[in-house]
């Protein structure tokens, strides 16, 4: 071994000539990506991701297997190297038939982690579930009632034949949100230290409330200015209380104002609030004005008395507090969206004698939530499908008399993907009506633009040809640098969850602006998708999941709905927990830890760059602890090599050659029928999600907290890293400890979830009083123990150590007994009821590191996967050493 001079990325270093380029770069903090290398194993050079350029060498070289030499000049990250790495990733991803993310999350405009919060609900971690939702959606109780549910439309459970319903995602969201809101310790996010910056938000609808929620957490003071006399925007003035009660709305708004956000009502920009004031007092402004200007039918006679826009009808009722009396009247609602549903169901509650919905396509094409359509029919609403109004008929006084309609047929699909309705000649007919409610669209009212442009000093606020606010589509910054816009005011009439998503973008950009940072959108994340290879179909799920119908939402009896009481009553806890079982867990459990995904994001990999043939293989769940999914395998062989070279089991191998190669247990057996010791080292080395834990709970994926500890399954003292969420242990990994220096471990510490998460475990001292155990403090427990010890002679005391304590802890217990209590009566529960007493370990004075120096190892009366894991650990530790001299392991049966 000698010191050499090398140059890396133009900088001179002194290095050890025995080291590889990868090893040395890791030491000095230069990151070189690799997927096939594990420091516990010899270099393999199969992924070609760790390539570097060496001056004078032909082609790029793999850094994991190339040792350094005197004068070597190395480039680790130039354009040629990066292009090669990207190509390697493109090739790996071209056969990676797997989805990083579940379709429910991918389809949510705000990116709510549905799979993650369902996993937390399953574990009873309701506050944690709300915390996860509120990372991107501050209004889960509201959305749990009125969201249009694109997540459920994308749910793969829809492909289950004979079920026909997605997972009840929104219902579960509502359950945990209500649970949290009604608890004494509802979730509150941490607020960063004050920045001294101020942001004005115009509009207290879903977009404005969300923007304030995100920015207040950043330490900025946010003030919301609302034109109406109550906050909520369209949530209050456009959605009836039977769907979204005002008291619930107020309660969720309070979770935002309690963070320090101020709410100023009856403040209309351009009237009693001027941009001149905002410009002086605030560092930035966000416009979240919504689209609350109603439109009529666009046909002859629409000016007749009795014709209203649907949103004006709903808003006026909320603003005045007066309900319409439609007794004996016929109401015609035109439109097929959720506003149309709100209008027709509200008309029923206003005692209308007849309520019709006219829609120009069929029920299948209606954009309204199907449950709304279903409930409206139960309440007595009648539908005229494939019907379109052409004229409003008035009497001599200009009052509405009837509406002329024409029958439609469906032609070819239009830009929305729905089939275009075409009028049928000669099919006109009339429908008598007392009132017409047009629910066919909404417009933006930006009458404040003159006021803003009058006082703006840098740039001009502009409107698009549709009358919406112009803003950069990626950052939502307008042409006035300090003004941002979000929600319907930018997109036109859309959905609540889309407004919330836009608020998140605008808040991020606004924060960057006022903190003097470059304004840029979130970096694009690489996501592998099965849909890049083949469309989902019922065949893909047939026979793989149990039949389980959705728990439907409990509702008020339709006979008791001529009022504005909330119709949907909410899931019970039992229903929510049962519904979690329907989730397929479509996203990868290694979403947050997958090296392949991280590198693909870093290098901009393209999954469809080399699109062509791919392999779809069944997932092997036969082992109780280990799950093998070859669809995610990149054939790095790390699992095969660690099982053979470190563990010595040789339970895994590479089957076939070339494109047909895959990893499987030897001899085509189940992993349970091989020499597999269930140690889990194959899982620890896998750089993707190809070999993961087969756990009995939903693994998430979710972000976890972690801590290091000593395994308490036996006395060896292996160091482990425990990953948990709010105390529920979800993953265990080996840490580099004094005993297990390379992070190896046995199955007991790795897969001991039934022990870790056992709610019956005693975690605090218990004192029996009047026949019942009661929790006491450790101080009181120690005082009682000391008193009891002192009350008798030393030899009348006995100390028993738990069998799962470490040797060091057992030593301290015997020290306490002998030196403290002056008794030699000390034993271990490990040997309770065993007639032979203590068992002498022949190797108890030999460090594990010394085992590798032995010429032969003889095991007497022991299995390699014995119950306490000692033997298994010995063999792993010995074989992990390079150049080991062990050449024989013999088992002699204990007769």
């Amino acid at each position: 071994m000698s010191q050499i001079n090398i140059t890396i990325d133009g900088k001179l270093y002194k290095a050890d000539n025995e080291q590889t380029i990868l090893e040395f770069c890791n030491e000095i903090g230069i990151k070189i990506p690799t997927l096939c290398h594990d420091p516990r194993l010899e270099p393999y050079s199969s992924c070609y991701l760790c390539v570097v350029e060496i001056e004078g060498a032909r082609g790029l070289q793999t850094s994991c297997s190339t040792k350094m030499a005197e004068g070597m000049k190395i480039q680790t990250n130039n354009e040629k190297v990066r292009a090669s790495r990207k190509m390697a990733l493109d090739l790996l991803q071209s056969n990676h038939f797997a989805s990083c993310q579940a379709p429910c999350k991918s389809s949510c405009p705000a990116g709510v982690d549905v799979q993650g919060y369902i996993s937390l609900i399953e574990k009873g971690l309701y506050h944690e579930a709300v915390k996860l939702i509120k990372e991107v959606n501050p209004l889960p109780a509201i959305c749990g009632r009125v969201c249009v549910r694109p997540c459920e439309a994308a749910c793969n459970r829809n492909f289950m034949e004979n079920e026909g319903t997605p997972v009840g995602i929104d219902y579960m969201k509502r359950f945990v949100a209500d649970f949290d809101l009604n608890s004494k310790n509802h979730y509150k996010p941490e607020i960063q230290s004050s920045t001294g910056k101020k942001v004005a938000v115009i509009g207290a609808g879903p977009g404005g409330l969300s923007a304030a929620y995100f920015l207040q957490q950043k330490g900025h003071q946010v003030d919301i200015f609302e034109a109406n006399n109550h906050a909520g925007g369209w949530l209050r003035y456009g959605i009836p209380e039977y769907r979204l009660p005002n008291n619930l709305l107020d309660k969720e708004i309070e979770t935002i104002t309690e963070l320090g956000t101020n709410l100023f009502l009856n403040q209309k920009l351009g009237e009693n609030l001027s941009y001149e004031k905002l410009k002086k007092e605030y560092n930035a402004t966000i416009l979240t004005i919504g689209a609350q200007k109603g439109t009529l039918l666009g046909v002859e006679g629409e000016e007749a008395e009795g014709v209203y826009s649907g949103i004006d009808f709903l808003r006026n009722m909320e603003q005045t507090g007066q309900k319409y009396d439609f007794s004996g009247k016929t109401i015609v609602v035109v439109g097929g969206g959720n506003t149309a549903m709100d209008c027709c169901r509200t008309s029923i509650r206003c005692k209308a004698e007849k309520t019709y919905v006219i829609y120009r396509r069929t029920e299948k094409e209606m954009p309204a939530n199907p449950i709304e359509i279903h409930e409206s029919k139960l309440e007595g609403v009648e539908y005229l499908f494939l019907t379109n109004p052409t004229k409003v008929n008035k009497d001599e006084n200009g009052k509405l008399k009837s509406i002329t309609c024409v029958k439609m047929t469906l032609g070819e699909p239009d830009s929305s993907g729905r089939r275009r309705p075409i009028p049928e000649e000669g099919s006109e007919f009339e429908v008598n009506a007392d009132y017409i409610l047009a629910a066919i669209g909404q417009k933006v009212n930006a009458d404040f633009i003159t006021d803003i442009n009058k006082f703006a000093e840098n740039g001009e606020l502009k409107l698009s040809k549709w009358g919406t606010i112009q803003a950069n589509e990626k950052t939502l910054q307008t042409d006035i640098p300090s003004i941002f816009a979000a929600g319907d005011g930018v997109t036109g009439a859309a959905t609540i969850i889309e407004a919330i998503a836009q608020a998140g973008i605008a808040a991020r950009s606004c924060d960057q602006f006022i903190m003097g940072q470059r304004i840029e959108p979130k970096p694009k994340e690489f996501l592998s998708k099965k849909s890049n290879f083949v469309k989902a179909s019922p065949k893909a799920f047939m026979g793989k999941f149990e039949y389980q119908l959705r728990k439907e939402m409990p509702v008020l009896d339709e006979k008791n709905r001529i009022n504005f009481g909330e119709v949907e009553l909410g899931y019970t806890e039992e229903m929510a927990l049962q519904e979690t079982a329907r989730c397929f867990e479509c996203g990868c459990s290694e979403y947050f830890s997958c090296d392949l995904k991280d590198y693909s994001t870093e290098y901009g990999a393209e999954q469809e760059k080399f699109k062509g043939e791919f392999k779809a293989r069944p997932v092997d769940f036969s082992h109780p602890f280990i799950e093998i999914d070859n669809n995610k395998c990149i054939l790095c062989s790390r699992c095969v090599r660690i099982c053979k070279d470190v563990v010595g089991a040789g339970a895994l191998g590479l089957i076939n050659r070339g494109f047909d190669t895959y990893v499987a247990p030897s001899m085509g057996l189940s992993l349970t029928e091989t020499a597999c010791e269930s140690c889990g080292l194959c899982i620890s080395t896998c750089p993707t999600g190809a070999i993961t834990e087969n756990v009995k709970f939903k693994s998430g994926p979710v972000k976890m907290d972690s801590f290091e500890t000593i395994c308490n399954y036996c006395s060896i003292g292996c160091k482990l890293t425990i990953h948990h969420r709010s105390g529920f242990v979800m993953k265990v990994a080996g840490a580099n400890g004094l005993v297990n220096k390379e992070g190896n471990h046995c199955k007991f510490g790795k897969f001991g979830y039934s022990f870790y998460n056992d709610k019956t475990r005693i975690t605090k001292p218990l004192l029996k009083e009047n026949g019942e155990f009661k929790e006491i403090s450790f101080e009181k427990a120690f005082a009682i123990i000391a008193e009891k010890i002192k009350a008798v002679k030393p030899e009348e005391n006995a100390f028993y150590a738990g069998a799962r304590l470490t040797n060091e802890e057992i030593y301290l217990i015997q020290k306490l007994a002998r030196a403290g209590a002056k008794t030699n009566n000390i034993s271990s529960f490990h040997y309770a009821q065993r007639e032979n007493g203590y068992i002498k370990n022949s190797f108890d004075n030999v460090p594990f590191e010394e085992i590798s120096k032995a010429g032969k190892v003889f095991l007497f009366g022991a299995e390699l996967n014995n119950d306490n894991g000692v033997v298994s650990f010995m063999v792993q530790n010995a074989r992990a050493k390079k150049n080991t001299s062990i050449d024989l392991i013999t088992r002699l049966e204990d007769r």
Side-chain angles (χ1 to χ4, degrees):
M1 183 185 299
S2 61
Q3 290 284 299
I4 56 174
N5 297 301
I6 59 166
T7 302
I8 301 179
D9 297 335
K11 189 174 180 180
L12 187 64
Y13 293 93
K14 284 193 176 295
D16 173 6
N17 69 335
E18 292 294 317
Q19 287 181 298
T20 64
I21 297 172
L22 180 63
E23 287 173 334
F24 183 70
C25 284
N26 285 338
E27 279 187 12
I28 61 175
I30 294 178
K31 181 184 175 184
I32 295 179
T34 180
L35 291 170
C36 67
H37 185 67
D38 184 320
R40 294 171 290 184
L41 302 169
E42 292 292 336
Y44 197 62
S45 302
S46 67
C47 70
Y48 288 95
L49 199 60
C50 71
V51 293
V52 295
E53 186 173 26
I54 302 173
E55 188 177 286
R58 183 178 176 182
L60 300 179
Q61 305 297 311
T62 53
S63 62
C64 66
S65 58
T66 304
K67 291 192 175 182
M68 294 178 293
E70 176 64 39
M72 188 177 276
K73 293 183 179 180
I74 305 162
Q75 289 291 329
T76 69
N77 201 32
N78 61 20
E79 190 174 330
K80 183 177 180 181
V81 167
R82 291 187 66 83
S84 177
R85 290 173 183 169
K86 179 186 180 300
M87 179 176 287
L89 290 163
D90 290 342
L91 288 166
L92 289 172
Q93 291 289 0
S94 69
N95 190 39
H96 195 72
F97 183 57
S99 293
C100 295
Q101 198 175 81
C104 49
K105 181 178 179 181
S106 297
S107 63
C108 176
V112 174
D113 187 356
V114 176
Q115 184 177 333
Y117 78 70
I118 289 177
S119 165
L120 295 170
I121 293 173
E122 177 223 26
K123 298 166 182 61
L125 302 175
Y126 303 142
H127 293 301
E128 290 292 322
V130 169
K131 179 181 178 180
L132 180 58
I133 296 168
K134 285 196 168 189
E135 287 181 7
V136 292
N137 178 1
L139 307 172
I142 292 168
C143 285
R145 288 164 166 80
V146 297
C147 186
V148 296
R149 312 175 190 183
C151 53
E152 293 188 15
C155 178
N156 280 330
R157 192 95 203 184
N158 287 307
F159 293 106
M160 283 289 285
E161 293 181 338
N162 303 321
E163 285 189 13
T165 55
V167 173
I169 295 169
D170 233 32
Y171 297 163
M172 287 187 281
K173 183 197 301 153
R174 169 180 167 165
F175 166 75
V176 289
D178 286 356
F179 179 93
D180 182 72
L181 270 182
N182 295 324
S183 68
K184 294 179 181 179
N185 60 328
H186 69 265
Y187 169 69
K188 295 179 185 177
E190 290 185 15
I191 307 297
Q192 297 177 16
S193 300
S194 175
T195 62
K197 308 290 185 181
K198 294 180 69 178
V199 179
V201 174
I202 309 301
L209 292 168
S210 299
Y213 178 83
F214 296 131
L215 284 167
Q216 196 73 42
Q217 292 178 63
K218 293 289 188 180
H220 311 312
Q221 177 56 53
V222 183
D223 295 341
I224 305 177
F225 297 90
E226 167 58 43
N228 290 298
N229 55 4
H230 288 94
W234 187 244
L235 299 173
R236 185 183 300 274
Y237 296 102
I239 300 178
E241 280 206 84
Y242 68 84
R243 286 182 64 206
L244 182 57
N246 283 341
N247 62 348
L248 182 281
L249 175 59
D250 291 335
K251 208 167 186 178
E252 194 138 67
I253 291 172
E254 285 173 14
T255 65
I256 296 171
T257 56
E258 72 181 0
L259 305 182
T261 296
N262 295 316
L263 186 57
F264 299 99
L265 302 173
N266 300 306
Q267 298 288 302
K268 184 171 175 56
L269 184 61
E271 293 184 9
N272 61 348
L273 175 67
S274 174
Y275 181 65
E276 182 181 23
K277 173 188 175 180
L278 300 181
K279 184 186 67 173
K280 290 177 181 177
E281 298 181 11
Y282 294 88
N283 301 96
T285 301
I286 299 182
L287 304 174
T288 53
I289 59 171
Q292 298 190 29
K293 186 177 179 180
T295 59
L296 296 178
L297 299 172
V299 300
E300 180 186 345
E302 67 174 11
E303 73 282 356
E305 182 183 340
V307 179
Y308 302 99
S309 76
I311 64 170
D312 288 338
F313 162 70
L314 296 169
R315 178 171 50 230
N316 292 341
M317 197 158 51
E318 177 60 34
Q319 285 180 330
T320 63
Q322 301 296 314
K323 310 302 181 190
Y324 290 92
D325 184 0
F326 286 160
S327 299
K329 305 294 184 184
T330 296
I331 313 300
V332 171
V333 177
V334 180
N338 284 325
T339 298
M341 296 301 96
D342 290 338
C343 288
C344 70
R345 296 183 70 188
T346 296
S347 298
I348 293 288
R349 285 161 174 76
C350 291
K351 303 177 183 177
E353 184 174 305
K354 278 276 187 185
T355 301
Y356 294 103
V357 170
I358 292 177
Y359 182 59
R360 59 184 183 157
R361 292 182 171 96
T362 69
E363 180 176 343
K364 182 180 178 182
E365 284 81 29
M366 284 183 72
N369 194 323
I371 193 68
E372 291 293 308
I373 302 169
H374 172 74
E375 293 297 331
S376 70
K377 289 179 179 178
L378 292 179
E379 293 168 5
V381 175
E382 298 179 41
Y383 283 82
L384 299 175
F385 293 114
L386 290 171
T387 301
N388 199 42
T390 58
K391 181 182 178 183
V392 173
N393 305 303
K394 304 177 283 187
D395 63 16
E396 61 276 8
N397 297 316
K399 290 187 67 175
L400 168 66
K401 184 172 65 173
S402 65
I403 183 170
T404 300
C405 301
V406 63
K407 285 290 184 182
M408 313 291 283
T409 56
L410 293 182
E412 294 300 313
D414 61 15
S415 59
S416 71
R418 296 176 296 175
R419 293 171 65 189
R420 185 187 303 277
I422 301 170
E424 291 182 13
E425 269 190 56
S427 63
E428 291 85 358
F429 67 98
E430 285 190 27
V431 178
N432 293 326
D434 296 293
Y435 293 98
I436 295 174
L437 304 177
I440 58 173
Q442 296 161 229
K443 292 182 179 179
V444 176
N445 181 10
D447 53 6
F448 51 77
I449 190 169
T450 301
D451 177 72
I452 288 181
N453 287 331
K454 178 180 178 181
F455 296 105
E457 297 174 352
N458 185 9
E460 180 185 0
L461 189 66
K462 299 174 184 175
L463 300 181
S464 71
K465 62 181 180 181
W466 298 282
T468 56
I469 299 170
Q470 279 190 5
N472 182 293
E473 63 179 17
K474 293 184 178 179
T475 66
L476 296 180
Q477 185 181 36
T478 69
D479 288 343
I480 300 174
S482 63
I483 297 182
F484 301 82
D488 291 1
V490 175
T491 62
T495 64
I496 293 167
I497 193 63
E498 285 175 293
I500 291 170
Q502 284 229 315
I505 296 170
R508 172 187 165 89
S509 299
C510 181
D511 174 59
Q512 291 171 337
F513 172 78
I514 59 181
M515 296 306 290
Q517 301 169 3
R518 180 181 176 183
I519 300 176
E520 53 188 8
K522 280 186 178 179
K524 184 181 178 183
E525 177 185 28
F526 176 87
L527 293 173
S528 174
K529 298 178 182 179
K530 284 188 175 181
S531 59
N532 287 340
F533 298 90
V534 64
K535 282 188 176 182
S537 66
K539 183 180 178 181
F541 303 95
M542 192 180 299
K544 296 179 181 178
F545 300 93
E546 290 186 5
Y547 176 80
Q548 183 182 343
L549 289 175
R550 180 165 75 174
K551 294 292 177 183
E552 291 302 339
M553 174 64 72
V555 294
L556 279 177
D557 189 288
E558 58 265 25
K559 297 175 184 177
N560 301 323
R561 296 187 192 175
I562 309 302
N563 54 63
F564 284 82
E566 189 170 13
V567 171
E568 295 186 344
L569 304 178
Y571 266 9
T572 64
E573 182 175 25
E574 181 183 6
M575 293 172 74
L577 291 173
Q578 289 177 353
E579 188 64 15
T580 63
R582 297 185 73 237
C583 174
F584 286 166
E585 301 178 78
C586 303
C588 181
S589 63
E590 304 309 302
Y591 175 85
F592 293 108
S593 59
C594 177
D595 293 338
L596 177 61
K597 176 182 174 296
D598 291 344
Y599 292 141
S600 294
T601 296
E602 181 180 351
Y603 289 89
E606 301 169 78
Q607 188 160 41
E608 297 180 275
K609 181 75 175 288
F610 298 107
K611 192 170 183 178
E613 185 183 352
F614 68 95
K615 297 292 183 181
R617 302 187 186 278
V619 182
D620 183 356
F621 297 102
S622 64
H623 194 281
F625 304 131
I626 299 169
E627 176 183 318
I628 304 176
D629 185 352
N630 271 287
N631 299 298
K632 301 174 183 178
C633 181
I634 60 170
L635 299 176
C636 65
S637 194
R638 282 165 64 167
C639 56
V640 175
R641 291 180 288 141
I642 205 166
C643 188
K644 179 185 176 184
D645 299 342
V646 175
V647 182
L652 295 170
L654 294 174
I655 309 298
N656 297 331
R657 291 187 178 186
F659 191 60
D660 294 322
T661 307
Y662 64 97
V663 171
S666 57
M667 304 299 291
L669 301 171
S670 164
L671 200 54
T672 56
E673 300 174 288
T674 67
C676 172
E677 297 179 16
S678 302
C679 63
L681 291 192
C682 54
I683 297 172
S684 74
T685 195
C686 183
T688 68
I691 298 190
T692 55
E693 297 184 40
N694 186 9
V695 292
K696 294 181 179 179
F697 51 83
K698 292 190 179 298
S699 58
V702 293
K703 292 179 180 177
M704 294 175 279
D705 297 317
S706 62
F707 62 87
E708 291 185 345
T709 187
I710 300 299
C711 178
N712 64 349
Y713 260 84
C714 69
S715 300
I716 290 177
C718 295
K719 196 174 186 180
L720 299 176
T721 301
I722 306 293
H723 301 276
H724 71 100
R725 185 75 181 237
S726 197
F728 190 98
V729 178
M730 300 179 72
K731 186 175 287 188
V732 178
N736 297 333
L738 292 173
V739 175
N740 56 330
K741 291 184 177 180
E742 293 184 321
N744 296 333
H745 47 68
C746 72
K747 67 179 179 181
F748 297 101
K750 173 69 175 174
F751 301 112
Y753 300 110
S754 59
F755 167 66
Y756 299 137
N757 296 318
D758 188 347
K759 293 181 180 179
T760 65
R761 285 175 56 208
I762 298 174
T763 57
K764 294 182 179 178
L766 301 176
L767 179 65
K768 198 169 191 178
E769 293 180 349
N770 301 321
E772 292 185 4
F773 281 107
K774 294 183 179 179
E775 281 188 6
I776 61 172
S777 67
F778 279 97
E779 289 75 12
K780 185 174 181 180
F782 294 149
I784 293 171
I785 293 169
E787 181 184 345
K788 296 280 188 183
I789 290 174
K790 293 174 182 177
V792 297
K793 296 177 181 178
E795 61 270 19
E796 293 176 352
N797 288 311
F799 285 73
Y800 282 83
R804 287 180 170 177
L805 298 178
T806 65
N807 291 325
E808 291 80 3
E809 289 167 329
I810 293 172
Y811 172 80
L812 289 176
I813 289 173
Q814 71 84 27
K815 199 73 173 176
L816 174 64
R818 291 188 172 120
K822 309 298 182 184
T823 180
N824 288 320
N825 297 329
I826 179 165
S827 186
S828 169
F829 283 119
H830 189 69
Y831 305 116
Q833 300 180 0
R834 291 191 183 184
E835 295 178 357
N836 293 334
Y838 294 104
I839 299 175
K840 181 65 176 173
N841 252 332
S842 61
F843 56 85
D844 58 0
N845 291 316
V846 179
F848 284 113
E849 290 83 353
E850 298 297 313
I851 295 175
S852 62
K853 298 178 182 178
K856 292 178 173 50
V857 175
F858 295 89
L859 304 183
F860 291 87
E863 297 283 355
L864 291 185
N865 57 349
N866 69 323
D867 288 344
N868 64 19
V870 174
V871 176
S872 175
F873 180 83
M874 287 171 53
V875 176
Q876 286 181 30
N877 196 55
R879 283 189 162 148
K881 303 299 178 183
K882 297 171 183 177
N883 302 318
T884 178
S885 59
I886 293 182
D887 59 10
L888 176 64
I889 295 181
T890 304
R891 173 178 173 242
L892 301 181
E893 290 290 332
D894 187 10
R895 300 298 180 182

